[in-house]
Amino acid sequence: MAARAVVLFSLVLALVIAGGASAQLSTGFYSYSCPDMLTAVRSALHPAIARERRVGASIVRLFFHDCFVQGCDASLLLDDAPGMQGEKNAAPNKNSARGFEVIDAVKAAVEKACPGVVSCADVLAVAAEESVVFLGGPSWEVKMGRRDSTTASFSGANNDIPPPTSGLANLTSLFAAKGLSQKDMVALSGAHTIGLARCTNFRDHIYNDTDIDAGFAKSRQSNCPRATGSGDNNLAPLDLQTPTVFENAYYKNLVQKRALLHSDQELFNGGAADAQVRSYVSSQEAFFKDFVVGMIKMGDVAPLTGSSGQIRKNCRRMN
């Protein structure tokens, strides 16, 4: 009996430790220490998106890429420094991750309101939610209380962020490694209803894949030459119809075989995710609901809390 009690206690302790960090996050974390935080965020963020709506998509992408490497700790925001290679020049981010200057401006506005209180990790989490809402998507209460990392992982960025060449099994595995289900993955992929992609990331799909509408492929080829190194940085909208509006058109594109990326079309290609994609075509409300669940879960991935890490004054470098 005693042995059984020890085993049960050990299991409970393990669960407490595993869930402890995310449990310390709360929606009211700055209610007293920085009550004007959200106003400060909006004062810098909203004008930036109004000037260039693509920035909203860029910031959501920064949040994804940050959380997938070391957890949601703002490691992506760190510049390279002596003795530390950052994540900005890793393959998934080099020449494509953008919006850092906007996050700098948002952080500066928050610092002016509450010096040394709000982490860059929380600034990025809130900016992602605000960007989705600004572009017409759902809102949710963002849990906060994250602290900022004092490290970055170049190798983690190269290995943990799903590449655009991924198949359904690889996408599912990479999301599962972060505690996210296939259902979460399909819903979160809907973030590709906004934003642009570089030719180098969709060239193989439009020239070599067969699971693509021929007319759509031809239209994309006009701005993305077949030869590698030619037009690599030419851009095309991830959602051909409304690339600056957050809605469910992305899933309609998948059903019509008009996904820009190979990895996106894999969500509707005769596999296990087809039914979920169809459900989002039928109901934008269902997509929004599942997207919010996925974003909250992703925001819980391995945060630094308590006395871990630090509250950076400048998101690009450690204090």
Side-chain angles (χ1 to χ4, degrees):
M1 192 72 177
R4 184 182 178 188
V6 169
V7 170
L8 287 173
F9 175 77
S10 298
L11 287 171
V12 171
L13 182 62
L15 288 170
V16 168
I17 292 171
S22 61
Q24 291 180 47
L25 303 182
S26 68
T27 56
F29 191 83
Y30 298 112
S31 295
Y32 298 104
S33 59
C34 190
D36 295 328
M37 186 266 289
L38 189 56
T39 299
V41 168
R42 290 171 174 166
S43 72
L45 179 65
H46 287 187
I49 303 176
R51 286 192 298 270
E52 184 196 7
R53 290 176 69 87
R54 181 190 173 199
V55 164
S58 299
I59 288 171
V60 174
R61 186 168 184 258
L62 289 182
F63 184 57
F64 271 72
H65 283 209
D66 181 49
C67 290
F68 264 73
V69 183
Q70 297 190 167
C72 309
D73 63 356
S75 59
L76 173 59
L77 304 182
L78 288 169
D79 288 340
D80 289 352
M84 190 202 73
Q85 186 175 29
E87 299 166 14
K88 292 180 178 179
N89 288 311
N93 299 322
K94 189 174 183 179
N95 297 323
S96 65
R98 61 193 299 276
F100 296 108
E101 295 81 5
V102 175
I103 295 299
D104 290 341
V106 173
K107 172 64 171 174
V110 173
E111 281 293 300
K112 185 176 180 180
C114 318
V117 173
V118 182
S119 68
C120 296
D122 281 344
V123 164
L124 182 55
V126 173
E129 187 270 346
E130 284 288 319
S131 295
V132 169
V133 174
F134 192 95
L135 296 177
S139 64
W140 62 96
E141 288 193 78
V142 179
K143 291 196 284 186
M144 289 175 274
R146 302 169 190 82
R147 289 170 64 84
D148 299 323
S149 70
T150 55
T151 62
S153 178
F154 182 84
S155 62
N158 279 324
N159 294 320
D160 294 352
I161 297 171
T165 54
S166 295
L168 182 60
N170 190 45
L171 288 169
T172 302
S173 176
L174 288 169
F175 274 73
K178 307 302 174 185
L180 299 165
S181 67
Q182 185 178 84
K183 181 179 181 179
D184 297 325
M185 181 271 290
V186 175
L188 289 171
S189 295
H192 284 176
T193 192
I194 52 175
L196 308 174
R198 298 162 60 225
C199 167
T200 188
N201 286 327
F202 60 83
R203 176 182 283 120
D204 284 348
H205 182 52
I206 63 173
Y207 283 104
N208 300 323
D209 286 349
T210 56
D211 59 340
I212 185 171
D213 177 82
F216 173 70
K218 186 174 181 180
S219 70
R220 293 301 92 198
Q221 290 168 7
S222 66
N223 192 45
C224 181
R226 182 187 289 270
T228 300
S230 177
D232 283 0
N233 292 321
N234 291 354
L235 299 171
L238 287 161
D239 172 3
L240 185 64
Q241 302 169 65
T242 51
T244 61
V245 180
F246 197 101
E247 23 76 305
N248 65 340
Y250 164 81
Y251 297 101
K252 297 175 182 178
N253 295 333
L254 301 189
V255 171
Q256 296 168 358
K257 302 291 185 182
R258 293 184 175 184
L260 185 64
L261 304 180
H262 172 86
S263 55
D264 283 339
Q265 194 58 64
E266 281 289 297
L267 303 187
F268 190 85
N269 199 21
D274 283 18
Q276 187 178 346
V277 169
R278 287 192 186 279
S279 74
Y280 294 160
V281 171
S282 301
S283 173
Q284 180 168 282
E285 182 181 358
F287 161 47
F288 280 8
K289 180 181 177 182
D290 290 348
F291 181 81
V292 166
V293 170
M295 288 295 281
I296 292 171
K297 286 178 67 175
M298 188 171 70
D300 284 344
V301 175
L304 297 173
T305 58
S307 60
S308 300
Q310 61 181 215
I311 305 296
R312 287 186 220 138
K313 295 173 183 172
N314 182 323
C315 292
R316 293 175 178 265
R317 58 177 179 265
M318 290 173 277
N319 295 340

